Amino acid sequence: MLLRLSPPVPDRHRSWEGVICVGVFHSSFAYFTIKDRLPQILTRVIDTLHRHKNEFFEEHGEKGVEAEKRAISFLSKLRNELQTDKPVTPLEDELPDAALWNQYLDYQRNLSNGNGEPSWFQSPWLYVECYMYRRIHAALAQNPPIDNFDVFKEGKAQNFFESQEAIIALCTYFQELVKNIKDLDKKQLQEELFKLLQVSLWGNKCDLSFSAGQDSSQKCSPLQSLENMIPYILVNDMEKLWSLLVNVNKRNTEKRNVRVDIILDNAGFELVSDLVLADFLLSSKLADEVHFHGKSIPWYVSDTTKHDFNWTVKQMQSANHMWMSRCGINWEGNLKKGVWVYCDHMFWTLPHDFASMADIAPDLYADLQKSNLLLFKGDLNYRKLTGDKKWEYTVPFHQALNKFHPSPLCSLRTLKSDTQVGLKPGQGEKIQASEPEWMVSGKYGVVQFDAAL
Ligand code: F6P
Ligand code: MG
């Protein structure tokens, strides 16, 4: 039962300024997520720890079991705070980002203008959802010797293994393509880029936070139905991406490396689709280096950490399928040569939207400014790009970015939350009339570009 929840408040209309998504509106996806999906995720995390009790005992003896008990009690308390809409509490651990989180809480307190402490349902959805994952991290990180245990690891690996057939189909297609890539003319190269962009876009359906941790792997060939799915791409700026890459290469008189950055989202099939896209960018010479940005702590169930990234490359290498392992071997080579670079930064797992990056993480902002193109994968990145607001659908993407313009950027995202900008007049309303769930079903996607001018 929600003890401190206000009476139902009618959902506000979308506006040109955007209203921040908050769980207090009962008709909102934010409310449903905080009420049902987040507690389900916490329950699964607790179950996972229970299931590993014997393993902790075998590895660490009694100390492992004690640590597991403490972590479970911390997580049960967290679930109770959430379900009873308690005020969000400051972090008490001494992890390097704790001070920034606590400053953010102070900022939320100031915003509430003396109207009570910010609580789970009364605070911005983006904030409390991120906060939950940060507290899950604290539950483990504070409890050695199980402090390095990733409670989401099994689910991510399972998604990878259950997507085997799709991965094989994609790798086989890709290796055939690479064999002849030198003979392709501009038009053909463009078509191939568009295909792999779409595979990476639809790969974003496979996230595990959306399905509250249940199976969401890619079962069929990811290339088969691309044509049929074109109508579901609500904003399709693939032509703009192509022009940018071609022009950057043409104008590159100083022969500087053309750099593309991929701000990664989920491990499993989606990560493989991103790596194939990155491989294509190098093999086609549209780019000379790709920088990948992952998460430094387990995040939103299936997001990619350094461990997931390396694990995936290793799994591919040692796979029992010729083209899969060829991909893995090449990828390992790219990393060794330094033409692929994996990076992480604390900022990606803070609650701040990207408009605050220049202030909060100027080093990261400066790094992104060195890129020729930033590809942001997934729904959470889209929410952070646009401030997680209920914008009028026709608000330009550039405006919603709120001065976040380090370099030209593009979002590849399937819709799984209440935020969408840059649509044509009437486009959103028309779909809404026949499919009320269109914004949260993952059925629609965008390839949405901003030139940063
Ligand atoms: O509510 C759906 C959700 O869990 C959102 O909270 C979040 O934006 C999204 O799924 C995560 O999706 P993605 O992995 O695409 O960022
Ligand atoms: Mg994700």
Side-chain angles (χ1 to χ4, degrees), residues 207 265-266 299-300 302-303 380:
D207 95 79
D265 187 4
N266 305 302
W299 197 243
Y300 277 72
S302 43
D303 283 16
L380 177 61

Side-chain angles (χ1 to χ4, degrees), residues 214-362:
Q214 263 142 19
D215 174 24
S216 102
S217 52
Q218 174 75 31
K219 296 281 180 335
C220 56
S221 164
L223 291 139
Q224 236 164 36
S225 39
L226 293 183
E227 200 57 36
N228 300 338
M229 287 163 83
I230 292 271
Y232 299 102
I233 306 181
L234 301 180
V235 179
N236 189 343
D237 288 336
M238 287 193 287
E239 300 271 355
K240 292 185 186 163
L241 282 187
W242 170 255
S243 307
L244 176 124
L245 289 169
V246 169
N247 288 329
V248 157
N249 279 287
K250 243 193 241 157
R251 283 199 307 261
N252 193 5
T253 43
E254 293 151 41
K255 295 279 169 253
R256 286 219 316 259
N257 271 0
V258 173
R259 166 175 157 186
V260 174
D261 286 45
I262 305 184
I263 295 73
L264 295 170
D265 187 4
N266 305 302
F269 179 76
E270 181 172 0
L271 175 60
V272 175
S273 72
D274 299 337
L275 296 174
V276 169
L277 174 63
D279 195 345
F280 175 79
L281 290 171
L282 295 195
S283 308
S284 60
K285 304 214 169 3
L286 286 167
D288 303 296
E289 53 184 86
V290 179
H291 291 210
F292 300 95
H293 300 265
K295 304 294 194 297
S296 45
I297 62 176
W299 197 243
Y300 277 72
V301 186
S302 43
D303 283 16
T304 307
T305 61
K306 185 174 189 172
H307 174 275
D308 302 323
F309 187 90
N310 292 333
W311 180 89
T312 305
V313 174
K314 287 261 156 351
Q315 286 297 321
M316 296 288 296
Q317 254 180 303
S318 56
N320 220 348
H321 185 277
M322 186 171 59
W323 298 132
M324 237 178 116
S325 80
R326 174 69 58 85
C327 281
I329 292 164
N330 290 344
W331 299 348
E332 178 74 32
N334 288 343
L335 289 164
K336 286 210 172 105
K337 278 185 258 167
V339 289
W340 277 12
V341 182
Y342 177 88
C343 357
D344 50 27
H345 193 288
M346 181 205 284
F347 182 80
W348 302 120
T349 51
L350 288 175
H352 303 71
D353 60 29
F354 296 157
S356 338
M357 186 191 287
D359 285 338
I360 304 290

Side-chain angles (χ1 to χ4, degrees), residues 16 234 392-395 421-431:
W16 200 250
L234 301 180
E392 183 72 45
Y393 302 128
T394 48
V395 165
V421 292
L423 298 188
K424 298 201 190 81
Q427 193 183 3
E429 290 76 2
K430 191 167 164 217
I431 314 174

Side-chain angles (χ1 to χ4, degrees), residues 142-201:
Q142 290 181 123
N143 278 310
I146 61 165
D147 44 340
N148 281 322
F149 184 75
D150 177 353
V151 283
F152 301 124
K153 195 168 81 179
E154 283 176 338
K156 291 183 270 194
Q158 192 182 343
N159 179 288
F160 176 86
F161 291 123
E162 284 172 356
S163 307
Q164 282 297 289
E165 276 180 41
I167 293 176
I168 288 176
L170 180 58
C171 293
T172 307
Y173 177 84
F174 182 66
Q175 290 301 335
E176 290 292 333
L177 167 65
V178 168
K179 262 194 234 159
N180 305 318
I181 203 155
K182 286 203 186 76
D183 306 327
L184 299 186
D185 61 28
K186 279 257 149 67
K187 183 84 199 122
Q188 289 167 319
L189 216 50
Q190 187 205 52
E191 272 170 22
E192 298 304 337
L193 173 68
F194 288 5
K195 269 191 202 161
L196 295 177
L197 281 168
Q198 288 170 76
V199 173
S200 166
L201 163 65

